[in-house]
């Protein structure tokens, strides 16, 4: 049994992760804080991280209430909203990027992945926006607005290595950059990222990949990597999809030759060829094969191993589901581009802080305990308001008395907008007087 972290240790851990002085210094550097200094940056950041996670719905009003219950001085609705600026959006993005560089929850993948530096999954999801944002975030259909969040999910460390936000029409594939960062890493890719040149570059950077095989690619088999007894159909020299429907064997394991265009250089584009491995695993229910292309060797990975590896893509689906169900990533009731970005980065900030806190939990828990990501996210969210409240006291902030905050939040804001009782009283009074 390992020691349990105290409440003080949890608060100290979080404030070491995002130190108040660093939060304030960067806010000054990018111009978030105005001269009157009424806005307190640490409570604002933690309110976005925990107020978002704790609320039943995601509204700017709920963020303001979280801030007012944390900071020394409250902000009126107008005072809060006028501070939601494009500069604040950039500031929150910086915090997310900084947090991603720090957070890590190790030892969360199976032992068979130990030979890889990291297991990476690239994926994207569409976020539906108000139609008035269609110029800033162009959707796939006319008069429709949508953003696309692209993530590079590190399954090994259960966090996000990279992220970007584009309009909906931008293809996921354009956000996956190859380079030396791939060395020793395994990239698991779906058909949205299928490109022979990309596979070649991963291989040339000493990385590894597993991808579904696109039917339109139909590469030529150059060698069979597994011998079959009896009257097996010979594959060498044939295109894989031309013959795959005639098979009844459990596995296919062959080498294929692919052709691709190199990137244009000095006005010239050369053609190149490489050989990779294609594996097929029969799906008895559908009476067909799941075909994968990879540069993983047969000596180390059998066909069923590759099918198991590819199923890890479900981790990315779970991550998007966590962001949307636990942190309400797809709730954007605004017509302002920068407010969309603030809400989006707030969701990612919640995720980053959640993962950082999970690393502390794992460090102090028994070694045999397992923390499923979705269950942890629900637990984190249910305790978020309590953590925020205690964190406020630890940081030395003294929010106004509860009754004062209730009065401030519950009173009518717009004098020109009568409530129903006032309308009824106004209509009934002349009749009564008559």
């Amino acid at each position: 049994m390992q020691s349990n972290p105290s409440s003080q240790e949890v608060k100290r851990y979080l404030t070491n992760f995002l130190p108040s002085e660093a939060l304030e210094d960067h806010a000054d550097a990018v111009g978030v804080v105005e001269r009157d200094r009424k806005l307190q940056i640490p409570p604002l950041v933690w309110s976005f991280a925990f107020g978002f996670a704790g609320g039943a719905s995601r509204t700017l009003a709920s963020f303001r209430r979280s801030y007012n219950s944390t900071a020394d001085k409250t902000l009126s609705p107008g005072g809060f909203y006028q501070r939601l600026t494009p500069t604040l959006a950039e500031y929150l993005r910086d915090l997310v990027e900084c947090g991603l560089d720090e957070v890590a929850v190790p030892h969360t993948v199976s032992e068979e992945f130990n030979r890889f530096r990291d297991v990476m999954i690239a994926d994207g999801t569409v976020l539906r926006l108000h139609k008035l944002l269609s110029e800033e975030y162009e959707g796939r259909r006319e008069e429709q607005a949508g953003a696309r969040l692209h993530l590079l999910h590190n399954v090994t460390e259960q966090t996000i290595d990279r992220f970007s936000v584009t309009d909906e029409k931008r293809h996921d594939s354009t956000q996956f950059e190859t380079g030396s960062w791939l060395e020793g890493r395994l990239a698991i890719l779906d058909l949205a990222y299928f490109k022979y040149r990309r596979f070649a570059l991963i291989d040339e950077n000493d990385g590894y990949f597993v991808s579904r095989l696109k039917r339109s690619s139909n590469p030529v088999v150059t060698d069979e990597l597994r011998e079959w007894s009896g009257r097996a159909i010979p594959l060498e020299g044939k295109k894989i999809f031309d013959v795959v429907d005639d098979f009844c064997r459990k596995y296919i394991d062959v080498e294929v030759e692919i052709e691709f265009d190199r990137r244009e250089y000095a006005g010239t584009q050369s053609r190149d060829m490489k050989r990779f491995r294609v594996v097929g695993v029969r799906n008895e229910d559908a009476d067909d094969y799941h075909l994968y292309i990879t540069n993983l060797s047969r000596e180390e990975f059998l066909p069923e191993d590759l099918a198991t590896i590819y199923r890890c893509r479900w981790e990315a689906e779970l991550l998007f589901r966590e962001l949307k169900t636990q942190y309400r990533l797809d709730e954007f009731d605004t017509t302002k581009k920068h407010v969309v970005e603030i809400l989006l980065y707030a969701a990612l900030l919640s995720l980053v802080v959640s993962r950082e806190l999970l690393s502390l939990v794992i460090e102090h828990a028994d070694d045999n305990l397992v923390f499923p990501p979705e269950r942890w996210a629900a637990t984190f969210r249910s305790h978020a308001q309590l953590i925020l409240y205690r964190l406020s006291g630890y940081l030395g902030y003294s929010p106004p008395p509860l009754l004062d905050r209730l009065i401030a939040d519950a009173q009518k804001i717009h004098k020109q907008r009568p409530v129903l009782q006032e309308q009824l009283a106004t209509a009934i009074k002349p009749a009564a007087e008559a």
Side-chain angles (χ1 to χ4, degrees), residues 26-153:
H26 191 60
D28 280 334
V30 299
V32 172
V33 183
E34 72 290 347
R35 292 182 181 179
D36 64 11
R37 296 281 175 174
K38 187 174 182 181
L39 181 67
Q40 295 173 307
I41 289 298
L44 181 69
V45 171
W46 291 117
S47 295
F48 276 123
F50 288 109
F52 185 4
S57 62
R58 186 159 64 115
T59 64
L60 296 178
S62 66
F63 280 123
R64 184 180 71 87
R65 285 192 289 269
S66 291
Y67 174 83
N68 284 347
S69 66
T70 308
D72 286 333
K73 297 180 180 179
T74 61
L75 289 175
S76 66
F80 183 76
Y81 300 148
Q82 73 180 19
R83 289 167 171 84
L84 303 179
T85 63
T87 303
L88 178 60
E90 294 174 12
Y91 174 74
L92 290 176
R93 180 188 175 93
D94 291 345
L95 294 188
V96 173
E97 290 181 339
C98 178
L100 292 177
D101 289 338
E102 299 294 331
V103 68
V105 184
H107 310 303
T108 55
V109 294
S110 303
E111 291 185 1
E112 59 261 30
F113 293 116
N114 284 344
R115 64 150 297 176
F116 303 113
R117 181 178 166 192
D118 288 305
V119 179
M120 316 296 294
I121 301 174
D123 209 346
T125 189
V126 173
L127 310 173
R128 189 58 54 211
L129 306 178
H130 195 287
K131 63 181 181 180
L132 293 180
L133 286 169
S134 59
E135 290 188 7
E136 291 85 354
Y137 288 109
E138 188 176 0
R140 286 187 174 274
R141 299 179 181 177
E142 289 187 15
E143 299 183 0
Q144 192 179 70
R148 189 180 291 273
L149 174 63
H150 310 267
L151 298 181
L152 186 62
H153 179 35

Side-chain angles (χ1 to χ4, degrees), residues 217-430:
S217 64
N218 208 11
V220 175
V221 176
T222 58
D223 191 19
E224 293 196 55
L225 302 179
R226 179 170 180 166
E227 294 183 2
W228 297 91
S229 59
R231 301 176 60 184
I233 299 174
L235 299 180
E236 190 171 340
K238 297 180 180 178
K239 292 185 176 182
I240 188 70
F241 281 109
D242 291 351
V243 293
V244 69
D245 292 337
D246 299 327
F247 295 152
C248 60
R249 63 185 70 165
K250 187 174 183 180
Y251 302 116
I252 300 169
D253 200 350
V254 298
E255 181 185 77
V256 299
E257 187 172 73
I258 56 101
E259 291 186 62
F260 63 97
D261 291 324
R262 292 284 184 182
R263 181 168 292 177
E264 186 174 319
Y265 180 75
T268 303
Q269 189 171 52
S270 60
R271 191 83 172 158
D272 207 344
M273 303 176 73
K274 271 188 175 291
R275 292 189 176 187
F276 291 124
R277 181 185 176 199
V278 166
V279 165
V281 178
R282 189 166 186 80
N283 180 1
E284 297 294 345
D285 293 335
D287 193 27
D288 63 3
Y289 287 89
H290 290 163
L291 292 175
Y292 309 95
I293 185 169
T294 184
N295 63 342
L296 296 177
S297 69
R298 183 180 182 276
E299 289 72 25
E300 294 183 87
F301 296 92
L302 297 174
E304 57 264 38
D305 296 329
L306 293 181
T308 300
I309 287 172
Y310 192 80
R311 282 197 291 271
C312 284
R313 277 199 54 78
W314 181 240
E315 290 281 343
E317 298 300 325
L318 291 177
L319 181 64
F320 284 129
R321 191 164 74 184
E322 177 183 339
L323 283 166
K324 289 186 175 183
T325 58
Q326 299 298 335
Y327 307 134
R328 302 293 192 266
L329 182 65
D330 55 351
E331 294 181 9
F332 295 100
D333 187 19
T334 178
T335 60
K336 296 182 179 179
K337 178 176 182 289
H338 64 274
V339 175
V340 167
E341 293 171 352
I342 287 171
L343 295 174
L344 192 155
Y345 298 142
L348 294 177
L349 183 63
S350 291
L351 178 70
V352 169
V353 171
S354 167
R355 290 295 193 265
E356 179 65 10
L357 194 55
L358 176 58
S359 67
L360 177 66
V361 170
I362 291 175
E363 179 184 338
H364 286 78
D366 288 345
D367 292 337
N368 62 334
L369 294 181
V370 177
F371 299 92
E374 284 193 292
R375 186 175 180 85
W376 165 254
T379 302
F380 171 77
R381 183 181 175 191
S382 66
H383 290 79
Q385 290 296 321
L386 177 60
I387 297 173
L388 180 61
Y389 172 74
R390 293 187 175 178
L391 191 60
S392 171
Y394 180 79
L395 292 171
Y397 293 99
S398 302
L402 177 60
L403 185 58
D404 291 350
R405 284 184 278 127
L406 292 174
I407 292 172
D409 284 341
Q411 65 179 287
K412 186 178 70 174
I413 299 171
H414 302 285
K415 293 183 179 180
Q416 71 276 17
R417 186 184 300 168
V419 295
L420 179 60
Q421 291 92 329
E422 293 174 348
Q423 291 177 315
L424 289 173
T426 302
I428 292 172
K429 186 176 180 180

Side-chain angles (χ1 to χ4, degrees), residues 165-206:
V165 183
T166 66
D167 60 31
E168 183 186 358
K169 296 187 72 173
R170 185 73 62 88
H171 199 276
D172 288 324
S173 184
T174 63
Q175 303 302 298
F176 187 95
E177 297 181 1
T178 52
S180 59
W181 69 270
L182 285 159
E183 182 179 355
R185 289 188 163 104
L186 169 65
I188 306 176
L189 307 170
D190 73 359
L191 293 178
Y193 299 87
F194 189 96
K195 187 177 290 186
Y196 282 153
R197 185 171 71 188
R198 173 171 291 117
F199 300 155
L201 290 172
I202 292 174
D203 186 64
E204 290 162 6
N205 279 284
D206 297 321

